[in-house]
Amino acid sequence: MTILEGRIKVTAPNWVPLTEIANILDYKSRWLTNRLKEWQVRQANKLEPEDRWAQGATVQFLGQSCVLKLQPHMDEVLWDAKEAALLVPSVGDPNHEQVRDRVHGFMQAQAKDILKERLDALSEKSGRGYSRFSITHARTRWGSCTQDGHIRLNWRLIQFSLAVIDYVVAHELAHLKAMDHSRSFWDEVATILPDYKAGQQGLKGVTFESVS
Ligand SMILES: [Zn+2]
């Protein structure tokens, strides 16, 4: 099975029944979806900034590929989940920096609320408390946690699905018990978020160069 130019190519000997191939694809669907998404993000990031932050370009928001739609008669950025679009107010012919800043501003505000919400939800559910929360703009790490329970999360996490966000939140909460990445640390992650591997998978191979 190979992925080329955003298409999946499956090759099998002709004695393998189609139903079996369908079963394998079904079994691999999460993996395939992740690989296809990575490909999509890489393609989008290859564009020049002028094309990346323009009408019709795509950005990732909460794991969804959203089309940018410039709207002259609006005051604020809106996410239309049903249409998979991000509506960006614009007057005249905005340059790509203005569009980017508006989109980033919207995402940072959303990150502040949604990441905090996920942190509180997982903290409450697992009974693991933290002392402080803040958003970071660093281009080096997705999250961090200090000995005294100050959890920092990168606003760019808002571009990923809730499964990925929850994984990073659980990861940082688990550091309250173990500051390393030992066996007992991963046990703690699994206690906080039993299905953490799904989200962990979604971050694999993602670098800070590959997010917008
Ligand atoms: Zn860690």
Side-chain angles (χ1 to χ4, degrees), residues 37 60-65 157-162:
K37 192 155 266 179
Q60 300 291 315
F61 182 66
L62 288 173
Q64 188 184 45
S65 290
L157 283 170
I158 205 66
Q159 299 179 9
F160 297 91
S161 66
L162 286 180

Side-chain angles (χ1 to χ4, degrees), residues 139-206:
R139 268 196 172 271
T140 46
R141 59 214 303 197
W142 297 114
S144 66
C145 174
T146 61
Q147 297 274 7
D148 60 352
H150 183 179
I151 288 179
R152 293 180 176 89
L153 298 170
N154 198 303
W155 71 265
R156 286 187 167 85
L157 283 170
I158 205 66
Q159 299 179 9
F160 297 91
S161 66
L162 286 180
V164 170
I165 293 171
D166 280 359
Y167 160 66
V168 177
V169 168
H171 184 118
E172 299 312 331
L173 278 173
H175 275 315
L176 291 169
K177 191 174 178 190
M179 276 299 171
D180 50 17
H181 293 120
S182 58
R183 179 74 198 270
S184 72
F185 165 80
W186 289 108
D187 287 346
E188 174 74 352
V189 176
T191 307
I192 298 168
L193 187 70
D195 193 24
Y196 77 88
K197 283 192 174 142
Q200 189 184 34
Q201 177 82 9
L203 263 189
K204 252 185 199 140
V206 182

Side-chain angles (χ1 to χ4, degrees), residues 27-205:
Y27 175 72
K28 285 260 187 187
S29 64
R30 183 141 76 187
W31 181 87
L32 282 168
T33 312
N34 283 337
R35 294 294 88 73
L36 283 173
K37 192 155 266 179
E38 278 166 20
W39 180 84
Q40 216 170 24
V41 170
R42 272 201 309 276
Q43 288 308 105
N45 289 344
K46 268 191 214 158
L47 297 172
E48 295 295 322
E50 292 77 21
D51 300 319
R52 236 167 99 182
W53 301 104
Q55 172 86 4
T58 47
V59 294
Q60 300 291 315
F61 182 66
L62 288 173
Q64 188 184 45
S65 290
C66 296
V67 176
L68 291 183
K69 289 186 182 169
L70 305 185
Q71 306 278 312
H73 304 294
M74 281 175 61
D75 302 323
E76 49 179 6
V77 178
L78 279 180
W79 176 40
D80 186 340
K82 223 171 113 217
E83 297 287 324
L86 218 56
L87 312 177
V88 185
S90 68
V91 184
D93 191 15
N95 63 38
H96 70 269
E97 277 115 347
Q98 287 167 318
V99 176
R100 183 197 59 206
D101 290 352
R102 290 219 114 161
V103 171
H104 279 178
F106 166 78
M107 287 189 183
Q108 284 159 10
Q110 293 291 314
K112 233 179 207 170
D113 292 345
I114 295 172
L115 299 183
K116 171 84 164 52
E117 217 176 270
R118 296 314 303 159
L119 175 61
D120 284 341
L122 284 177
S123 161
E124 231 164 82
K125 209 174 120 207
S126 64
R128 270 77 170 169
Y130 64 95
S131 63
R132 228 182 115 198
F133 162 72
S134 43
I135 285 284
T136 68
H137 295 246
R139 268 196 172 271
T140 46
R141 59 214 303 197
W142 297 114
S144 66
C145 174
T146 61
Q147 297 274 7
D148 60 352
H150 183 179
I151 288 179
R152 293 180 176 89
L153 298 170
N154 198 303
W155 71 265
R156 286 187 167 85
L157 283 170
I158 205 66
Q159 299 179 9
F160 297 91
S161 66
L162 286 180
V164 170
I165 293 171
D166 280 359
Y167 160 66
V168 177
V169 168
H171 184 118
E172 299 312 331
L173 278 173
H175 275 315
L176 291 169
K177 191 174 178 190
M179 276 299 171
D180 50 17
H181 293 120
S182 58
R183 179 74 198 270
S184 72
F185 165 80
W186 289 108
D187 287 346
E188 174 74 352
V189 176
T191 307
I192 298 168
L193 187 70
D195 193 24
Y196 77 88
K197 283 192 174 142
Q200 189 184 34
Q201 177 82 9
L203 263 189
K204 252 185 199 140

